[in-house]
Amino acid sequence: MLFTAIAQGAELTAALDKDVIAENEVVQLTLRADYSDTGNGPDFSPLRRDFEIISQSQNSQFSFNLGTNKALNFWVVTLMPKAVGNFQIPSIKVGNYSSQPLSIKVNPAPQLLDENGNAPVMVKFTTNTLSPYVQQQVLLTVELYTSVALQNANLSAPNHPSLLIERLTDDQQRYETINGTAYQVLQRDYIAFAQRSGKLELIGQTIEAMVNTSNGRRRINVKSAPITLDVLPIPPTYSADTWLPAENVTISTKLQGPDEIKVGDTLIWTIDVAAKGALPEQQPIIDIISTRDYKVYPSSPRFSSAKYGSGIVGKQTMQMEIVPTQSGAITLPTISIPYWDTKQRQFKIATSNQEQINVVGLATSKDADNLNNDSSSDSAPLLPPQTKSVAPISLAKPKAAPTPEPTPEPTIALTVEQPEPGTDWRTLGALVLVLLGVAGLLVWWFKQRRSKAEKTDDEVPMLADFAPLSSASETIAYQNLLSCCQQSDLSRLQGNLLEWARHRWGDSHVRGLDDIKRLANSPRLSQLLMEAELVMYSEQAASQWDGSPLADALQEYKTGVTKPSQASQLKTLYPNF
């Protein structure tokens, strides 16, 4: 009769915290099982048809009274409706029992405005030009205006298959006041290069996040206006072979060598090209050929880029080794790079200053004759341009030292004795010793490898080896952790978590935050730890992290008692929400 009464008292109930919500607003579904045999737990997959599951958690309670025990199991699921209308929460089965279905109504969301009539979140998407040329630099700017704290924010990035897009600089922050509302502005800059002409439409940028309102947490999805680029083709008046659209191109040269340059000396000629508003790969390769006055040994160019708030500057640096082959005044060629000025929209040519050098003759007449025989012949072809770095050949030969009179070398008579036929026992003995030595080395090598492998497997460093515990007990470590969460101090969270976990489960079981999630076996605690990690390793400021939910989850985990919601105690910041 006792077991029958207990079986009749077992029940699975489902409840919603509210049955009428607005679009993009979350609702919590709570399941309560008054029995212990829950099997694998509830199956929430039927909810995914009409709702998005934001988070879920589980909690268990046990009570003992007069020799009887009672188990209570709770599952809390946070849901977001996918559309507007009337929906039904289907029956959910847990073990041998099923919950009753529930109804919920989702109304269209009212416009989210603050007390000044301003939207708390805005996104602006702008560009510096709407009609660029193909492969011209285009600046794209995404600005996020926020007057409320955002949770789990996800800001999109510009993207288009016909655009080469990359980040320009790090995020910039500033503050603005618009119609009485103070906004924090996050600015993110990009550069884009259109790979084809024609109209290219960039969709508006969006921000998805959760915000706290007077009616609870609500998801927002704010979108900016799109941008349409009318990309122009290469103009017909552009006569160069290589297309280079840039705001400006400058060329600087530098010649290094001895004060008195002689025929055959090696000079280093450095050429620097800077194209504002163009990638370094867009620049043409500088090609200098040898002449009768000098020989050229070029090296491979080096490309680099520098990013500023106004755009990118592509740089090309090339070094050439110049070897004069004739004396007199020699003028190196002028470097010319054609480009299309994107500001003035006209064809231009960037040129460098001419480098002039004065070359004196060789020191000896013998070297001059050798040089003339090598380079002054009309039938000798000019050196073609090199495609890779070639070591220069110095034409200035050192002065020949006086050659001493040859001294007759003494004659040495060698007598070679042929070995007698038969086996030499000394050779066999040496061969045996060599083989024994090789075998010994192999045995020693295998033993060393085995001992190193065993040592590596055994010597796994623990946290106690390099980070001893600083607190005396688990209670002190737990109080330090709660204080860190309540103060929202993200910089001390990881250290305090590891300190408390090592006291609770031991150094041999805890090596990181993943071990804490596994050992705690609490979905809610794991979810809050993952959210803290996302803020910890994201680009947003660590001050945006709120540690109060994590402190509540830790207290619930420690005591096993669910804390009441504090949503009703929040001060209403924006009455119109």
Side-chain angles (χ1 to χ4, degrees):
M1 291 176 60
L2 178 62
F3 284 113
T4 303
I6 295 175
Q8 290 178 352
E11 184 181 6
L12 176 65
T13 58
L16 294 171
D17 62 342
K18 45 195 169 184
D19 53 6
V20 178
I21 62 174
E23 184 184 8
N24 294 327
E25 189 177 345
V26 297
V27 62
Q28 282 191 343
L29 170 65
T30 302
L31 290 178
R32 171 178 170 173
D34 297 340
Y35 49 90
S36 59
D37 187 12
T38 59
N40 296 327
D43 180 16
F44 295 119
S45 58
L47 299 173
R48 299 184 184 276
R49 186 187 67 177
D50 299 322
F51 299 89
E52 179 183 351
I53 298 178
I54 303 300
S55 63
Q56 61 185 42
S57 61
Q58 179 184 359
N59 188 21
S60 299
Q61 297 181 10
F62 299 92
S63 61
F64 302 91
N65 187 16
L66 299 178
T68 62
N69 60 75
K70 185 176 182 180
L72 297 178
N73 294 282
F74 298 90
W75 292 269
V76 179
V77 186
T78 303
L79 302 175
M80 172 77 69
K82 294 182 178 180
V84 176
N86 296 318
F87 300 95
Q88 186 179 61
I89 304 294
S91 176
I92 299 176
K93 186 176 182 180
V94 180
N96 297 325
Y97 301 90
S98 299
S99 66
Q100 75 278 13
L102 302 173
S103 298
I104 185 172
K105 183 178 182 181
V106 181
N107 296 323
Q111 187 178 4
L112 199 61
L113 299 175
D114 61 11
E115 56 187 5
N116 297 322
N118 300 324
V121 180
M122 298 184 297
V123 180
K124 294 184 180 180
F125 188 29
T126 58
T127 180
N128 66 327
T129 177
L130 295 176
S131 56
Y133 287 93
V134 63
Q135 294 185 349
Q136 175 187 341
Q137 171 187 267
V138 178
L139 300 181
L140 301 176
T141 301
V142 179
E143 294 176 308
L144 173 62
Y145 290 74
T146 57
S147 61
V148 295
L150 302 183
Q151 302 174 9
N152 301 331
N154 182 18
L155 180 63
S156 64
N159 186 25
H160 195 280
S162 297
L163 288 176
L164 176 63
I165 304 176
E166 61 182 62
R167 287 283 299 272
L168 183 58
T169 57
D170 295 335
D171 292 344
Q172 307 294 324
Q173 289 190 359
R174 67 180 189 275
Y175 295 90
E176 288 187 14
T177 300
I178 301 177
N179 297 330
T181 301
Y183 288 96
Q184 179 180 352
V185 185
L186 174 71
Q187 179 176 327
R188 187 168 293 177
D189 296 321
Y190 300 84
I191 53 174
F193 299 87
Q195 302 303 301
R196 65 173 179 86
S197 58
K199 291 190 177 297
L200 303 179
E201 183 171 354
L202 281 76
I203 61 175
Q205 301 307 297
T206 60
I207 176 70
E208 294 183 358
M210 302 292 295
V211 296
N212 291 324
T213 67
S214 58
N215 296 324
R217 296 179 68 192
R218 174 178 171 181
R219 169 175 284 185
I220 60 170
N221 191 327
V222 182
K223 190 173 184 180
S224 71
I227 293 178
T228 301
L229 299 178
D230 186 10
V231 183
L232 305 176
I234 300 176
T237 56
Y238 190 80
S239 58
D241 296 333
T242 305
W243 169 244
L244 177 59
E247 297 180 11
N248 187 28
V249 177
T250 58
I251 305 174
S252 60
T253 61
K254 183 179 181 181
L255 189 64
Q256 294 176 314
D259 295 336
E260 185 179 18
I261 303 174
K262 299 179 182 179
V263 175
D265 286 343
T266 300
L267 310 178
I268 304 299
W269 193 22
T270 304
I271 303 172
D272 293 315
V273 181
K276 184 178 181 181
L279 295 172
E281 294 80 7
Q282 294 178 270
Q283 301 181 20
I285 302 298
I286 300 172
D287 189 10
I288 304 296
I289 63 174
S290 301
T291 67
R292 297 185 183 278
D293 296 334
Y294 53 85
K295 292 185 179 181
V296 180
Y297 302 92
S299 61
S300 299
R302 300 191 306 271
F303 295 100
S304 61
S305 60
K307 295 180 179 179
Y308 307 94
S310 58
I312 192 171
V313 177
K315 299 179 180 181
Q316 176 186 178
T317 301
M318 190 171 187
Q319 284 190 344
M320 301 182 182
E321 295 179 345
I322 307 295
V323 179
T325 57
Q326 291 186 6
S327 60
I330 297 178
T331 302
L332 297 179
T334 301
I335 309 300
S336 300
I337 296 181
Y339 70 99
W340 182 261
D341 191 331
T342 56
K343 284 190 173 181
Q344 300 183 5
R345 303 208 167 191
Q346 61 181 2
F347 178 77
K348 289 185 178 181
I349 298 178
T351 59
S352 66
N353 297 326
Q354 289 184 339
E355 296 283 357
Q356 293 184 348
I357 56 178
N358 187 23
V359 183
V360 299
L362 290 174
T364 62
S365 59
K366 182 179 179 180
D367 293 334
D369 293 339
N370 293 336
L371 184 62
N372 292 332
N373 293 334
D374 181 59
S375 61
S376 62
S377 176
D378 294 338
S379 60
L382 296 177
L383 183 68
Q386 306 295 317
T387 58
K388 60 181 181 180
S389 179
V390 180
I393 301 174
S394 178
L395 299 180
K397 299 179 175 57
K399 297 180 65 176
T403 305
E405 293 293 332
T407 303
E409 297 181 357
T411 304
I412 301 176
L414 298 177
T415 303
V416 180
E417 296 181 357
Q418 296 293 335
E420 295 181 359
T423 304
D424 190 353
W425 65 269
R426 289 174 295 183
T427 303
L428 290 177
L431 181 60
V432 171
L433 291 177
V434 171
L435 292 177
L436 289 175
V438 171
L441 287 175
L442 290 175
V443 172
W444 175 81
W445 180 71
F446 278 115
K447 287 185 177 180
Q448 290 294 324
R449 281 193 65 184
R450 181 175 300 177
S451 63
K452 287 183 179 179
E454 293 175 354
K455 185 177 180 180
T456 302
D457 295 338
D458 296 339
E459 295 182 358
V460 178
M462 308 295 291
L463 281 174
D465 297 335
F466 53 85
L469 292 172
S470 59
S471 55
S473 64
E474 179 187 351
T475 302
I476 298 176
Y478 176 71
Q479 294 299 329
N480 293 337
L481 177 58
L482 281 184
S483 175
C484 167
C485 295
Q486 292 168 355
Q487 296 175 6
S488 299
D489 190 353
L490 190 60
S491 61
R492 297 190 296 117
L493 176 62
Q494 185 173 4
N496 288 329
L497 273 171
L498 292 174
E499 185 82 9
W500 170 69
R502 290 167 63 189
H503 275 292
R504 185 173 184 84
W505 292 293
D507 283 326
S508 60
H509 296 86
V510 178
R511 297 182 182 176
L513 297 184
D514 290 336
D515 294 329
I516 299 177
K517 302 173 190 173
R518 173 178 55 81
L519 294 170
N521 194 22
S522 171
R524 184 187 178 195
L525 192 59
S526 299
Q527 177 70 23
L528 292 173
L529 287 178
M530 285 190 292
E531 292 178 1
E533 286 183 282
L534 289 176
V535 179
M536 188 183 306
Y537 300 111
S538 65
E539 298 179 355
Q540 59 182 334
S543 59
Q544 296 183 5
W545 178 68
D546 183 11
S548 300
L550 181 56
D552 296 340
L554 287 169
Q555 292 177 344
E556 293 175 0
Y557 175 79
K558 184 77 172 177
T559 61
V561 178
T562 304
K563 298 189 64 175
S565 174
Q566 299 179 0
S568 60
Q569 304 176 10
L570 294 178
K571 182 179 179 180
T572 303
L573 298 179
Y574 301 99
N576 295 329
F577 283 8

